[in-house]
Amino acid sequence: MKKVLFISSLYYPNIGGIETMIKELSQQYRKIGIESVCLTKKWPVTLLDEGEFDGTKIYRVSNARTEDEFVGIINWIKNNEAKIKADIIHVIGIRRPLPLIALLLSRYWGVPIICTIAGGDVPDDFDPAPKVVWNEGKDFIPDVLMQSDSVNCVSNALVGDLKRVMPKLKNIKTLYAGLDLSIVKNSQVEKIKENYIFCFRRLDPSKGVDVLIKGFDCIKDKFPDLSLVIAGEGSEGQKLKDLVGSLKLNDRVMFIGSVSLSRGISLLKGASLTVVPSLSEGGGLVNIEAQASGCPVIASRVGGIPEYVRDGESGLLFKPGNYLELSEKITLLLNDKELQKKLVHGGIIHAQKFDWDTLIPEYLELYGDLINNYDKSKEFKPWSPLTKKLWDKITN
């Protein structure tokens, strides 16, 4: 295997768990002589068609909703095929429309396709947003998954969620997302305040940052020297700032915008604790980043988070959306030094299980098995007039 094509809904300069996963997989592969390229959506639309991030070439195509827009992507592929053609296609995150393009390319090139469910794409019991995403892609995503050569999830919880909406889909694997622990080891401590809670999140509804702000408001008088520092950007940014203003917390809450992974880890190392208040989460790499950094974690008991944070051993969990319970957990942790030591020690040990040095062999074994056993005579099976037209377009 010489080259992997990653396909995702968003990539750099957008920053989040999926983007970090692709970045670090690409870094690990490059160490052993495997090239990676990424095909993603052009969002925002002001981005260039081509770019590079940390040694990985990025190719961006316009979002497609109409037939003409899908045909436009196929035309781009026909003109740029040599840049992206690979030995295997790995889709991370299954938001429309690019998983369909991935399947078309897989059958056209005669190479395997893997689809990784990374969270926020499959309906769950706590957050309505993933159901909206799933319904938006219902004309494509289930059929793409049924024809994929391998489907895996970044947590056992996501496997369960996927089975509930696609009971006929078989042999779904769990492959955890990982972290390059050397990044943590080489990051310096940065204290933006003397005593602060750090929140390292994309500011989107599913991340539950409003829950943290409300929980912080409940404890602000108990800990007058404590601040809340929020790093990240997203659609909820202004709404969250308005909430801080309405609670008269402007002098206690800082929004510092998007920060790099290395600086985020430095700020985790300097924080009193971090909170991951997600309403929906496949697993949440930030939980591993915090534990590896020696920063005590309080996270919501949702999705795959209980697999990434061991309650009472490597962190504390609370009911998603329950800011009162969250405020109690923060109070408990800040007042109990022995508990802090226990969770920091347990977190460092737990994070080691998610080191890419441990996980990469599992990914490479899956890739190798798929490539070595791939049936090149596999055909694309259209399920709609549009998918038939796109298949005819790409093959002629």
Side-chain angles (χ1 to χ4, degrees), residues 148-174:
S148 292
D149 302 298
S150 178
V151 176
N152 63 275
C153 300
V154 299
S155 67
N156 293 322
L158 276 175
V159 172
D161 290 340
L162 184 56
K163 285 182 176 179
R164 280 192 286 275
V165 293
M166 290 193 65
K168 294 182 180 180
L169 186 61
K170 306 298 181 185
N171 301 319
I172 312 167
K173 299 179 176 65
T174 298

Side-chain angles (χ1 to χ4, degrees), residues 196-210:
Y196 64 94
I197 296 172
F198 186 49
C199 180
F200 191 20
R201 310 255 67 202
R202 182 178 282 159
L203 306 185
D204 290 338
S206 67
K207 300 306 180 184
V209 179
D210 59 321

